[in-house]
DNA sequence: CGAGGAATTGAGTAGGTTCAAGGCCGGTGG
DNA sequence: CCACCGGCCTTGAACCTACTCAATTCCTCG
């Protein structure tokens, strides 16, 4: 794990990567672009040029409504790949902005295709990360559609902590949370005022500690119960042995051809 | 277009397919399994065996909460591919059920991988359909998070009509809509009672006609305004010429290798 | 023709919003 | 070092959208 970049760290959750794989993934992240906090990386209507890997910092995907309301649908943390699917489209249908100073590596569409064609193991791992993205979107829909405000807040806090744990950025259920209550509200379909009241309640009940952009989950079990869910949807278990051996076979074939 | 199956019809929206491609896609759909109405095709916790193509009928993806509440996040119509991303996972995190008698073709995971490796144009088109799925999930999040109940209903009715138009199943903004108001409610995060009142209002305002499971949008423009959106997110415009030529190049390379 | 699910309607309620004001805190400039 | 400023957090009170519960009617299908 030592010296390994966040992308390799994240993908190795799914399937063990060879040294060669890790080097390749780390190499993809060398050419980083730096963005200030509160800056758009991608804007609705842009023509897709490439996929992105977030290596440091934090960002979010959002859309603005005609009346100015904002909905946030994803938070990106180090190791997250995004825009992978959009390469084929005419125009991006949403915006992405940073929350803090953030570094982003770009991967050209050609490189993406090359990875899928020539590096089955990495391709599979990227595919898996897309699964995870889709599962998170589904979970958000469930939260917004059928969970109470308390349940929504509990769910989002758990998700953010679990994801950061998966890339080694959390220690003992504590993470840096550079979000305002307004941003939490825009992610959860609530108003900032109401998010505030709920966070107050959680603090009073000793469920969380949250101050100075630092969040600690004090009672994960009870939070999960409030949210009515568990972390299965993040599919952090890694590939089954069948899938692994299948992918390794592909990888061997590939090498023999070359 | 004549004689072409719904999958080929849908994918050719994105990129022109060769006769060979069409034959291949149609062949994938020959082995259909038939399901009754109101039957689970996939259940939460199942081990993924294959991807699916819905060829006739209609289905939906949903999740049940511990307290029995249900959230529907996707409706599948003919031509839709699903489970494509799940092949790599240990367990499916949601269920899928039919609304009406439905036919489903299964595509083994191996076939999926083969399509991506050996048929770049089809692979790209499947990729595009995944983009569309993701975009629809995002749109649902926006709807549940930031649209009023009226806006949500208007949005979903438009989406269902537009999607059926894209596979030639709608005539003049009219479709078959085999949903109960309870199912609409579970997709929109509302109660059946409230959905009912909103539909009443839409009928009174001559926005829609809806009876006997047949829906007609009488004033799409006004509905769009109520929903505050347009159909860009479905990415029905097809690939740009650059993308097309790039994919065609891949296809040629592939052929030369073989 | 009868039965059961779906649609419809009404009345009362509640969870979350809106509006508005005040307090805290970190950063900046003198 | 302190004073000021602006953004964010916090709190209160009134309001409203959508929910709940319950009863009635309508369809559809056997």
């Amino acid at each position: 794990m030592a010296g390994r970049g966040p992308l390799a760290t994240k993908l190795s959750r799914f399937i063990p990567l060879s040294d060669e794989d890790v080097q390749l993934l780390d190499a993809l992240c060398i050419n980083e672009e730096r963005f200030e906090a509160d800056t758009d990386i991608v804007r609705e209507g842009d023509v897709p040029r490439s996929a992105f890997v977030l290596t440091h910092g934090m960002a979010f995907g959002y859309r603005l409504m005609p009346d100015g309301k904002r909905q946030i649908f994803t938070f990106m943390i180090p190791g997250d790949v995004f825009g992978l699917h959009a390469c084929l489209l005419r125009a991006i249908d949403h915006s992405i902005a940073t929350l803090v100073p953030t570094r982003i590596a770009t991967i050209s569409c050609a490189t993406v295709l090359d990875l899928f064609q020539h590096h089955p193991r990495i391709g599979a791992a990227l595919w898996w990360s897309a699964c995870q993205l889709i599962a998170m979107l589904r979970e958000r829909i469930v939260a917004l559609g059928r969970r109470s405000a308390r349940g929504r807040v509990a769910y989002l806090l758990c998700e953010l902590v679990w994801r950061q744990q998966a890339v080694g950025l959390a220690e003992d259920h504590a993470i840096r949370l550079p979000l305002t209550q307004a941003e939490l509200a825009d992610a959860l379909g609530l108003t900032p005022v109401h998010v505030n009241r709920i966070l107050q309640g959680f603090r009073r009940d000793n469920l969380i500690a949250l101050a100075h952009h630092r969040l600690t989950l004090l009672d994960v079990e009870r939070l999960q119960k409030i949210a009515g869910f568990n972390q299965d949807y993040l599919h952090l278990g890694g590939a089954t042995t069948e899938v692994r051996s299948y992918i390794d076979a592909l990888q061997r074939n590939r090498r023999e051809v070359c």
Side-chain angles (χ1 to χ4, degrees), chain A:
Chain A
M1 187 85 91
R4 170 177 294 202
L7 178 57
T9 306
K10 178 176 173 183
L11 296 187
S12 64
R13 279 244 140 202
F14 171 66
I15 192 167
L17 299 172
S18 70
D19 290 348
E20 190 190 347
D21 291 333
V22 172
Q23 280 167 26
L24 181 59
L25 289 172
D26 287 348
L28 287 176
C29 298
I30 281 183
N31 243 325
E32 298 170 325
E33 196 174 342
R34 283 163 191 261
F35 292 88
E36 306 266 303
D38 297 310
T39 312
D40 278 337
I41 298 169
V42 171
R43 239 180 283 256
E44 194 175 333
D46 280 0
V47 176
R49 308 149 293 167
S50 58
F52 304 92
V53 182
L54 194 152
T55 55
H56 294 267
M58 191 164 171
F60 63 96
Y62 69 98
R63 185 119 118 244
L64 293 175
M65 312 281 296
D67 61 3
K69 286 199 286 249
R70 180 175 67 168
Q71 177 65 42
I72 294 176
F73 25 78
T74 344
F75 291 106
M76 290 88 161
I77 63 172
D80 281 342
V81 181
F82 55 96
L84 198 59
H85 278 78
C87 278
L88 295 178
L89 302 179
R90 281 171 181 276
I92 308 255
D93 57 11
H94 62 281
S95 305
I96 295 171
T98 57
L99 286 161
V100 287
T102 296
R103 294 190 228 163
I104 308 273
T106 59
I107 305 181
S108 73
C109 299
T111 308
V112 170
L113 285 167
D114 179 70
L115 285 174
F116 277 101
Q117 300 269 323
H118 300 302
H119 301 271
R121 199 186 292 117
I122 289 177
L126 289 173
W127 188 287
W128 165 78
S129 83
C131 288
Q132 200 188 46
L133 169 71
I134 294 173
M136 290 191 297
L137 293 176
R138 273 198 298 259
E139 195 64 40
R140 182 68 61 86
I141 291 172
V142 173
L144 297 186
R146 288 293 180 232
R147 282 204 258 264
S148 68
R150 266 169 64 87
R152 292 185 212 182
V153 175
Y155 133 80
L156 185 55
L157 297 183
C158 288
E159 175 174 303
L160 289 169
V161 169
W162 288 333
R163 286 174 61 197
Q164 306 224 11
Q165 277 177 343
V167 284
L169 288 172
E171 36 197 52
D172 204 27
H173 295 146
I175 58 166
R176 180 166 151 64
L177 188 78
L179 300 175
T180 65
Q181 296 181 353
E183 283 151 351
L184 282 173
D186 282 340
L188 295 172
L190 299 170
T191 54
V193 173
H194 201 56
V195 168
N196 180 289
R197 290 194 236 265
I198 286 161
L199 290 175
Q200 302 287 332
F202 282 1
R203 281 192 269 242
R204 229 172 291 132
D205 299 346
N206 284 315
L207 290 166
I208 63 167
L210 173 58
H212 309 293
H213 287 172
R214 183 139 200 93
L215 166 71
T216 308
L217 306 187
L218 300 175
D219 192 337
V220 181
E221 212 162 304
R222 207 139 49 94
L223 284 169
Q224 278 188 237
K225 196 175 274 176
I226 291 169
F229 87 139
N230 59 44
Q231 60 182 291
D232 289 353
Y233 74 100
L234 291 175
H235 299 285
L236 296 173
T240 58
T241 44
E242 291 102 303
V243 170
R244 284 182 196 198
S245 58
Y246 190 72
I247 292 170
D248 286 343
L250 279 179
Q251 186 88 28
R252 270 195 304 281
N253 281 337
R254 192 46 62 189
R255 195 163 303 159
E256 281 158 19
V257 169
C258 303

